[in-house]
Each structure stands twice: as structure tokens, then as C-alpha cells.
Amino acid sequence: MKFFFFTIALAMSISLSYSQLPATRELDSLFTIYDKNELFFANVLLRRDGKTLYQGTSGYQDLEAGIKNNPQTQVLIGSITKTYTAVIILQLAGEGMLQLDDKLAKYYPEIPNAGRITLETLLRHRSGLFNYTDTPEFADEVTSSVSKDDVLERFKRLDTLFTPDTQFRYSNTNYLLLGFIIEKVTGDSYENQLRKRIIDRLGLKETYYGRPADRKNFARSYVNNGKEWIATPMEWNTDWAGGAGAVAATAADLALFFEGLFGGNLVPAESLARMTTLKDGYGLGLIAVPYGQKQFYGHGGRIEHFNSVAAYNPEDKTMLVNLVNSERRFSPNDISIQLLNAAYGYPVEFPDLTERKEVAIETTVLTRYEGTYAAPGFPLEIHVFVKEGRLHGQATGQGAFPLTAYSDTSFEFPQAKIELNFFEKDGRQAFHFSQGPAKFDFVRKP
């Protein structure tokens, strides 16, 4: 249920496209390549000011049944659920049913550090609570049902990683607890509160808590082993995901949710401003999603082999939804980049299917590049470090990404088409950053 840094098909793609977008033909061609080369099972939507610019699909909703992805396909959206949970918490705060500075001890005093953790630190992933999905036993248990009491009993035994509000560290524990707090405060289920406060208010017809009872439009997720596509052998029981990742939706409903949120239909302007106020790259259930010098807000989600991203630009009301129900060596981020290239008049880049050869670089060379870099106009800093003999990058509030070396100065994260080319600028180490049309010169901080 982690977000992406901005971070598959066996037959022809079904694409519904619209004349408002000049690059429609290029995107249709792109999705044909995705389809013919079996790169992605995907369902995407691009909107501006509430009007559809492009909608495209590739691959299968259900490969075994021969059902293609289509605009009605529903998927688990994983951690994008956190934005829904944050909205409900802010609604309850606005009604005086809780306060963001409430201590966790008011609701669950038995959780470690509960007397120092506030609801806001839970929302911002600054609680210091260990991420329960990283426990060794989690993968063996996730297919089985689990009760709230059992989960809370486990949470009592989790480690604390740092003093609350001194660091950012993404933890699904935070939002599962927030989902439980919603239930405790309202005396109602999270599912009912989701329906009452978001689904019914916005008229969402294809949004569900957990997998929908009628699964005729619900996608399976797949992984490619290098030879063939295999359906996810272990379906999560969404008891384990809760307010951290249990929502399912179509691309259209996901777009309507974000448009409703930024349109003032769910929380007042002051609450939305609080949600979009970032600390270490994370707000209240929202992250910054930079595209060049444009700032989107949204979230990513990963659960089973579903990979999702939803992002909204309040300045020009552009909405991106990218739902991928497959995993392979190609990153779903590339789909998002090309859709935004098309939305903003940049060339649509087609995937390079040729293999470049990685070269070995001495560790002494790699360590010369270590440090934290910043660039004017880029909203995040990038920390560069060496781990296990390989150079890595990590943007503020994002996950680390490994860099492949093609020379002693040229490095890439091919899955997201990130290129770093190191050079010296005014006697200081620097690198040229390139990702699609985004091109910046980062200089190492003293």
C-alpha cells in the first residue's frame, strides 16, 4: 500500500478517446504498444475541469475468462484509501466529534507512545509506529480474516521507531488506527461512514469498501514471471487493509472523488488547505506529485499486484487516474508521465524495448556522489546514497529508488524514466535530472 515516486495485454487495446486532446492519436498508438508487447493491464483516465480528455485501457480485467479491461472495471486502490480516511477524520473534526490534536491515548491508550501521538501525527505518518505490513508473519496471514480486537492486540506489541513528530516514516498502522477511531467516535462501521460521508454525497456508483459482492466487473491482479501472466495467488482479506487500503473503485469514480474534494464538496477550504500543507512531502492523506514545475496532489496505492495513482492539479483542474492490475519490469509511472505529456502539449514518448547494459562502478566513485541535492523550482530535495554497492536516490517523503549505472556519471531509474547525469557546477557536485519534460540541475547542499 505504498505510493509511487513521480514517482499488459494479449490483444488490441480498447481505447475511448476524445477530440479535446491533440495527442489522442499518439496515446492510442502508445496503448497499442502496451497491448501488443504485453507491458500492462491498465485502465486510465485524464480529465480537465470535469471533462474527459482521454480514457484508455489495455489488457485484461480477467485473463482466464477473456474479459478485457474497460471503463467499468473496478480495482482495489490500496493506499489511495488513505485520502478517503483523512477526509472523514476532517469531517468529524469539523463537527466537533474529535480534534486533530487529540492524543491516541484518548481512544487506544494501550498502543505504545499513545500519550504522545496525536491524530495529526497519525495522518502525517509521523507517529513512529512500526508498519504492521512489514512484520515477518504478515504475508502468511493476510489471506485470512482478522478481528479488530486481534489487530489491536498485535499493535500493542509493535516497536516504536522514533519520538512522535520528529520524523516522517510511512506506516499503514497509522491509517488502520484512524479507521478504528472513526468507528469508535461514530459508533458505526467504517464502511457505513464511507458511504454516508463520501459515496452518497458525491453520487459514486462504483466505489466499495472491500471487493464488491458482485465481482463481474472486478479485476484480478497479475504478475509476469518472464514467461507468462499468473493471477495473484494470495488475495488479501481486506480486514487487514481497512482505512489504510480497502477501498475499490473505477477510474471514473476515483476522478469524481478527487474533483469533489478539491471542488469543496467534502471539506471546507480551510480543511483542504490543511490537507495540502506538506511536511516532509506528506500532508493529511495527500502527497505532492510534481510534474515539471506543476504541482499535483494525490496518492498512490499498491496492494496485491494492483498499482494505482490518482493526482489532481488545483491550478488548472487536471485530473489523472492510472489503475494497473499487473506487475512486470516496466513501471506504471511511465503511463502517468506520458498521459501528462499529452495533457500539457509535450511529445508522447514511446517505450524503449531494447535492453541497455549496466556497467559496474567502483564504490569509491559512487560515494563521491552521496549527499542531499536541491534544484530551484523543484518541490522536493533528492538524497543520494550508496547501499549494497549501488547508488540510490530518495526524494523528500518518497520511497528510495535504485539507480542503474550506464557510465561512471550516467545513472537511471528506468522504471520511471528518471535520468541522473553527474557533473561539477561552480566547484560543487551536481546532477542533471530528467524525467519526461521535467529537466532540472540539482546541486549538492553544503
Side-chain angles (χ1 to χ4, degrees), residues 358-406:
E358 182 177 5
V359 298
I361 306 296
E362 293 289 337
T363 303
T364 53
V365 175
L366 298 179
T367 55
R368 293 207 303 260
Y369 301 138
E370 290 187 310
T372 299
Y373 295 73
F378 195 86
L380 310 176
E381 293 181 345
I382 296 180
H383 180 61
V384 176
F385 60 95
V386 178
K387 181 181 178 181
E388 298 176 350
R390 180 184 288 270
L391 205 63
H392 288 68
Q394 185 169 18
T396 307
Q398 307 275 348
F401 51 94
L403 291 162
T404 301
Y406 295 111

Side-chain angles (χ1 to χ4, degrees), residues 130-149:
F130 187 83
N131 181 14
Y132 73 95
T133 60
D134 289 340
T135 57
E137 64 274 12
F138 177 75
D140 296 326
E141 298 177 326
V142 71
T143 59
S144 304
S145 62
V146 65
S147 69
K148 183 195 303 183
D149 289 342

Side-chain angles (χ1 to χ4, degrees), residues 425-437:
K425 183 174 183 178
D426 300 328
R428 295 166 63 186
Q429 189 63 63
F431 63 76
H432 182 70
F433 172 96
S434 175
Q435 186 183 37

Side-chain angles (χ1 to χ4, degrees), residues 80 91 136 203 219 256 259 274 299 339 345 375 408 425 440:
I80 303 176
Q91 289 174 343
L256 290 173
E259 290 169 349
R274 200 163 181 175
H299 215 290
L339 287 167
D408 59 0
K425 183 174 183 178
F440 295 90

Side-chain angles (χ1 to χ4, degrees), residues 3-262:
F3 52 78
F4 302 125
F5 175 73
F6 228 108
T7 62
I8 317 178
L10 302 178
M12 291 298 292
S13 146
I14 302 172
S15 292
L16 302 179
S17 51
Y18 298 81
S19 59
Q20 298 98 315
L21 192 67
T24 290
R25 289 186 179 180
E26 287 87 344
L27 287 176
D28 284 340
S29 297
L30 180 66
F31 272 78
T32 297
I33 291 173
Y34 290 159
D35 208 80
K36 283 187 173 181
N37 292 279
E38 303 181 7
L39 303 187
F40 301 107
F41 293 0
N43 200 319
V44 305
L45 182 62
L46 189 64
R47 289 163 61 90
R48 181 168 290 147
D49 200 15
K51 297 178 181 178
T52 298
L53 298 179
Y54 189 81
Q55 186 163 26
T57 69
S58 65
Y60 283 89
Q61 171 183 304
D62 188 326
L63 176 61
E64 291 72 20
I67 301 173
K68 298 285 297 199
N69 269 327
N70 61 81
Q72 286 72 50
T73 297
Q74 306 147 352
V75 304
L76 286 175
I77 61 172
S79 283
I80 303 176
T81 300
K82 292 177 172 65
T83 310
Y84 295 71
T85 299
V87 165
I88 296 172
I89 290 288
L90 284 164
Q91 289 174 343
L92 293 172
E95 295 163 15
M97 298 183 71
L98 52 76
Q99 302 295 324
L100 297 192
D101 59 2
D102 283 347
K103 297 293 194 296
L104 179 57
K106 180 177 179 179
Y107 306 99
Y108 296 108
E110 64 276 18
I111 302 298
N113 265 351
R116 305 175 73 180
I117 296 169
T118 67
L119 300 192
E120 183 158 353
T121 56
L122 292 173
L123 286 162
R124 291 187 178 277
H125 293 295
R126 301 179 68 84
S127 69
L129 294 174
F130 187 83
N131 181 14
Y132 73 95
T133 60
D134 289 340
T135 57
E137 64 274 12
F138 177 75
D140 296 326
E141 298 177 326
V142 71
T143 59
S144 304
S145 62
V146 65
S147 69
K148 183 195 303 183
D149 289 342
D150 190 17
V151 170
L152 288 169
E153 192 61 36
R154 292 161 189 256
F155 283 4
K156 294 178 191 178
R157 303 191 296 269
L158 289 179
D159 293 333
T160 55
L161 304 176
F162 51 83
T163 302
D165 205 26
T166 60
Q167 297 181 40
F168 166 88
R169 184 155 176 174
Y170 194 86
S171 174
N172 292 300
T173 305
N174 298 321
Y175 275 78
L176 203 57
L177 283 170
L178 287 166
F180 294 163
I181 289 169
I182 289 168
E183 294 184 332
K184 178 164 280 197
V185 166
T186 63
D188 196 8
S189 69
Y190 180 95
E191 181 175 10
N192 286 343
Q193 288 295 304
L194 175 71
R195 179 161 298 283
K196 171 185 173 182
R197 294 175 174 276
I198 295 177
I199 294 174
D200 290 346
R201 187 177 295 189
L202 296 179
L204 306 179
K205 304 299 184 185
E206 298 295 340
T207 300
Y208 307 89
Y209 180 73
R211 292 176 173 83
D214 181 353
R215 294 180 61 169
K216 68 179 181 180
N217 288 322
F218 187 78
R220 303 183 73 181
S221 69
Y222 295 85
V223 62
N224 192 287
N225 64 6
K227 295 181 180 179
E228 60 182 343
W229 290 103
I230 299 172
T232 301
M234 294 172 52
E235 282 194 347
W236 280 43
N237 185 305
T238 52
D239 291 348
W240 290 97
V247 169
T250 60
D253 263 20
L254 197 49
L256 290 173
F257 166 67
F258 275 89
E259 290 169 349
L261 172 60
F262 282 89

